[in-house]
Amino acid sequence: MARSVYLGSTDRGDGRQVFELGLMELLTRRVDRVGVFRPLVHDGPDRLFEVLRGRYRLSQDPATAHGIDYREAAGIQAEQGTDALVSRLVDRYLAVAREYEVVLVLGTDYADTQLPDELALNARLANEFGASVLPVVGGRAQSAESVRAEARNAYRAYHALGCDVLALGVNRVAAGDREAVEEWLRARLPVPCHVLPDDPALSAPTVRQITRALDGTVLLGDDTGLARDVLDFVFGGATLPTFLHALTPGCMVVAPGDRADLVVGALAAHSAGTPPIAGVLLTLGERPGTEVLTLASRVAPGTPVVSVPGNSFPTATRLFTLEGRLDAATPRKAETALGLFESWVDTEELLDRISVGSTDRVTPMMFEHKLLERARADRRRVVLPEGTEERVLRAADVLLRRSVCDLTLLGPVDTIRKKAADLGVDIGGAELVDPQESELRRRFAERYAALRAHKGVSEELAYDVVADVNYFGTLMVEEGLADGMVSGSAHSTAATIRPAFEIIRTRPDATLVSSVFFMCLADRVLVYGDCAVNPDPNAVELADIAVQSALTGARFGVDAKIAMLSYSTGSSGAGADVEKVREATELARERRPDLLIEGPIQYDAAVEPTVAAAKLPGSQVAGQATVLIFPDLNTGNNTYKAVQRSAGAVAVGPVLQGLRKPVNDLSRGALVQDIVTTVAITAVQAQESGA
């Protein structure tokens, strides 16, 4: 029978989705197959299940994730009794439990359910499912005393009904009360208590959600603008100078549709970044003329302007009752929720109590989760030279929301802020530095001139060189102002890594800089080297690549069994290419006799046990290799791309190795998630190097 965790509650409005999302994140780190079951559902799509299915790549059929709807449940309970209802739901649950290692059960939501004693029903279901319960209590707009009392009563209620209470979650507590509430509860309850502060961004509606709720019409704006969180409302009625002083970051301006001056003024303020607004909402069904809308679209491209039919008072009344929802269209809310959960929940303690054993399989998602977890455990600072690039800004938003690392973004500061405002991303926690204007420029020029004096570089020339964002970022790493650097989404590989070769240079135990890709297959992670840097390494260099790749793999949890690849296995072939691999194998063994190394060996014999048994019986590496070293860049680069595209593998990298401090290169086609992962890898490398 699958292990299961039942997320229960005592009332609606507890913001339980933070815990639901956080628990799914934890469970998918440990096991490959996690199922979801919601016993009772409302009509319409299950927004949270769609979020979980998309984010965690669940293969579960949505039809199996639900028991029955509330209306049917109320009828069964009224006509046949609670036992009949519970029996029906247990049958549906067991069908899911048979297919998965762990099941996350999402309890009822207390929202117009028409069920008597809903808490008792949740407790009964948890017991019948054999699930441990994690009750969640909401603390928004409550005093510390009220939150403490409600949380203790929640524990007592579930415990008294025979439930195995795993832990207690308390959400949306006033930030100033969080620590005191947690200390009080932990001193009085026999289970861990995880208390989360209220985060306004989670409950803030997006512009799109407001538009739908008010039956509005989008006059201007793109999908990015409509996804912005609305953190405040500013109602326009004053003159423009007075009105501009009232604007706040992330606000939505609400004004009559005939106030063209306020529309243009608010958008001009947004364009200047003083402050960035979420959008403009025009009431009375009035719309500015074509000339005004054309001007507005040029002043702040992408910023939403929405028209609604009602007048200001009923519009305001409706606005103040709206609350943001976490759904598939609000991915940044998911990142905020996970960042909140991971910042305030002792995840290791919670996982230990759930007692979910780790699987031997390592899926791409598990690998990515572990990276973020390790980076977060010992936060480092990573500099991103391409601070004005959209994908970099979106990745920075995710990294900051998840508290993965500290960030420095390089580029013209006003340009970065404006671009971030236009994209609706929050980079408020990042350091922004303009190399052209920074007081560090002269210091860096002196340092670079000293390092490159043997090449005839003067301080005057160095002053121009270090204004380049990649040189400036590399010097930040060299000088200890950042622990690592990631670039390449808009620069060539040469432009990214040349400064590292000149300034950071190789470690004493490395003869060259090389690279690896982590190839995340369906059930394991392999290390491929070198597929990005060295075109035709000689035997000595190939041996170094093998040793460095083994070290890199080990740092990220890959137990190194090294295969030195060739078109020949063992002594079956000859030729210059085979001899190079054979010599490199011997050199690597001499250098590191503690490592398991086999070569020359063909790819199939390296990874497939049945082929290995025929071609190289008795080998400790053949058939189970985890680190695969290619003889040249042509072979390596083509192989990794073939496996990536044909086998559906996730390729993480290239990860540079051999440098004294970590610098990593991105593909110019890198997705936002690729950038997030590479930054996390860089942060972990910085931990390992003691940067």
Side-chain angles (χ1 to χ4, degrees):
M1 178 63 66
R3 185 83 168 92
S4 62
V5 179
Y6 196 109
L7 267 166
S9 186
T10 58
D11 201 353
R12 65 182 303 183
D14 50 34
R16 199 183 336 163
Q17 290 178 338
V18 174
F19 280 87
E20 292 169 339
L21 198 62
L23 267 176
M24 178 59 82
E25 183 85 8
L26 288 186
L27 294 174
T28 53
R29 289 179 191 172
R30 287 290 182 95
V31 297
D32 183 24
R33 294 183 300 111
V34 180
V36 178
F37 185 70
R38 191 188 294 278
L40 300 174
V41 295
H42 295 284
D43 290 337
D46 185 336
R47 291 182 292 104
L48 183 68
F49 179 75
E50 291 306 313
V51 171
L52 298 178
R53 186 167 67 150
R55 186 179 187 88
Y56 299 104
R57 305 161 199 164
L58 303 183
S59 58
Q60 183 177 356
D61 181 350
T64 69
H66 307 131
I68 57 179
D69 65 44
Y70 282 102
R71 186 178 305 168
E72 183 182 359
I76 293 173
Q77 191 170 34
E79 296 173 12
Q80 303 175 44
T82 300
D83 287 351
L85 173 60
V86 170
S87 177
R88 176 87 64 91
L89 295 174
V90 169
D91 287 343
R92 294 298 301 269
Y93 165 78
L94 291 176
V96 176
R98 284 191 288 268
E99 300 296 324
Y100 297 94
E101 299 168 80
V102 183
V103 179
L104 178 62
V105 184
L106 312 177
T108 67
D109 60 12
Y110 297 83
D112 302 321
T113 60
Q114 299 178 346
L115 294 171
D117 201 355
E118 201 163 333
L119 189 150
L121 177 61
N122 280 292
R124 171 81 181 276
L125 290 174
N127 290 334
E128 298 290 353
F129 295 169
S132 297
V133 179
L134 197 161
V136 179
V137 173
R140 169 170 271 189
Q142 294 189 48
S143 66
E145 292 76 13
S146 176
V147 174
R148 293 197 305 248
E150 188 171 342
R152 184 164 61 177
N153 289 340
Y155 167 78
R156 288 175 172 173
Y158 278 99
H159 180 70
L161 290 167
C163 294
D164 171 30
V165 180
L166 183 70
L168 184 69
V170 185
N171 195 23
R172 295 180 162 183
V173 175
D177 295 335
R178 194 211 69 80
E179 186 175 356
V181 169
E182 185 169 86
E183 287 180 358
W184 192 91
L185 289 172
R186 282 189 175 253
R188 289 164 175 80
L189 296 180
V191 297
C193 301
H194 307 286
V195 181
L196 278 58
D198 192 23
D199 187 329
L202 270 178
S203 56
T206 64
V207 177
R208 178 179 286 106
Q209 289 170 343
I210 288 174
T211 301
R212 289 175 178 170
L214 298 180
D215 195 24
T217 301
V218 178
L219 305 180
L220 296 176
D222 56 23
D223 285 344
T224 297
L226 292 170
R228 294 177 190 172
D229 292 327
V230 178
L231 304 178
D232 190 12
F233 298 102
V234 174
F235 293 85
T239 61
L240 182 59
T242 303
F243 166 75
L244 290 177
H245 285 296
L247 297 179
T248 58
C251 73
M252 171 164 268
V253 171
V254 183
D258 58 0
R259 290 296 303 272
D261 58 329
L262 299 185
V263 174
V264 175
L267 294 177
H270 170 85
S271 180
T274 55
I277 65 172
V280 178
L281 188 71
L282 302 177
T283 61
L284 302 175
E286 295 281 344
R287 303 184 182 188
T290 303
E291 298 83 356
V292 173
L293 289 177
T294 300
L295 176 61
S297 68
R298 292 175 179 172
V299 169
T303 299
V305 176
V306 177
S307 173
V308 296
N311 63 38
S312 296
F313 182 75
T315 297
T317 303
R318 184 76 179 96
L319 287 174
F320 287 122
T321 63
L322 287 176
E323 186 165 320
R325 299 179 301 177
L326 198 160
D327 57 30
T330 57
R332 286 190 292 115
K333 287 190 184 296
E335 301 296 350
T336 300
L338 286 172
L340 196 65
F341 183 87
E342 291 159 344
S343 295
W344 300 107
V345 172
D346 187 335
T347 55
E348 286 303 313
E349 177 187 49
L350 186 54
L351 272 174
D352 287 344
R353 289 184 65 82
I354 295 173
S355 302
V356 176
S358 297
T359 180
D360 292 333
R361 287 161 54 89
V362 179
T363 67
M365 188 171 297
M366 290 177 186
F367 183 74
E368 291 169 4
H369 288 338
K370 183 59 70 175
L371 276 178
L372 298 186
E373 188 176 22
R374 287 183 61 184
R376 190 182 300 110
D378 182 11
R379 285 180 63 159
R380 298 302 171 109
R381 178 170 292 278
V382 178
V383 58
L384 305 178
E386 299 160 325
T388 60
E389 289 297 311
E390 177 177 341
R391 287 166 294 158
V392 171
L393 287 168
R394 292 191 184 281
D397 184 39
V398 173
L399 290 159
L400 293 169
R401 287 176 188 269
R402 299 290 299 277
S403 301
V404 174
C405 61
D406 297 318
L407 294 176
T408 298
L409 301 177
L410 301 186
V413 173
D414 288 344
T415 303
I416 294 174
R417 286 179 176 151
K418 182 180 185 304
K419 188 66 174 287
D422 289 341
L423 295 172
V425 299
D426 183 3
I427 56 166
E431 176 188 32
L432 306 183
V433 177
D434 184 353
Q436 298 279 352
E437 305 294 335
S438 173
E439 60 185 19
L440 293 169
R441 184 176 176 181
R442 177 57 63 185
R443 169 182 157 186
F444 284 177
E446 293 172 358
R447 174 64 173 155
Y448 182 70
L451 288 170
R452 303 296 289 174
H454 65 290
K455 293 291 186 180
V457 175
S458 65
E459 283 193 21
E460 289 73 20
L461 176 59
Y463 189 76
D464 291 334
V465 170
V466 302
D468 175 86
V469 289
N470 285 312
Y471 275 93
F472 193 93
T474 304
L475 281 157
M476 287 189 72
V477 176
E478 172 63 17
E479 293 289 283
L481 301 174
D483 301 306
M485 183 181 95
V486 174
S487 187
S489 69
H491 291 89
S492 67
T493 295
T496 298
I497 66 177
R498 185 186 297 116
F501 291 167
E502 295 178 0
I503 297 166
I504 293 178
R505 302 174 182 173
T506 58
R507 295 198 314 263
D509 63 341
T511 60
L512 80 169
V513 175
S514 59
S515 72
V516 297
F517 279 89
F518 289 98
M519 301 300 295
C520 303
L521 305 176
D523 60 351
R524 55 187 160 159
V525 175
L526 301 178
V527 178
Y528 282 12
D530 174 5
C531 303
V533 178
N534 297 286
D536 189 16
N538 60 34
V540 173
E541 293 169 335
L542 199 59
D544 187 76
I545 291 170
V547 171
Q548 296 300 330
S549 298
L551 291 173
T552 300
R555 289 190 180 110
F556 294 93
V558 178
D559 184 21
K561 295 181 179 180
I562 307 167
M564 307 292 286
L565 298 176
S566 176
Y567 60 76
S568 171
T569 295
S571 58
S572 66
D577 291 338
V578 176
E579 290 306 316
K580 180 180 81 169
V581 174
R582 184 172 286 116
E583 182 183 352
T585 302
E586 293 306 317
L587 290 171
R589 284 171 175 163
E590 291 173 9
R591 183 171 163 185
R592 289 292 305 273
D594 56 311
L595 293 176
L596 295 176
I597 307 174
E598 189 67 74
I601 186 171
Q602 292 161 288
Y603 192 100
D604 58 349
V607 300
E608 177 53 51
T610 56
V611 177
K615 291 189 173 183
L616 213 59
S619 170
Q620 293 180 281
V621 173
Q624 49 189 330
T626 57
V627 178
L628 297 110
I629 306 303
F630 295 90
D632 54 59
L633 186 60
N634 181 51
T635 308
N637 192 268
N638 278 295
T639 303
Y640 107 75
K641 287 181 178 177
V643 173
Q644 179 187 32
R645 299 300 179 184
S646 301
V650 176
V652 178
V655 177
L656 299 185
Q657 54 192 15
L659 289 166
R660 290 187 298 108
K661 296 182 179 182
V663 171
N664 281 310
D665 180 38
L666 296 165
S667 163
R668 273 174 278 184
L671 302 175
V672 171
Q673 187 56 45
D674 298 332
I675 300 172
V676 169
T677 302
T678 303
V679 171
I681 284 176
T682 306
V684 173
Q685 285 180 306
Q687 297 168 359
E688 296 289 334
S689 67

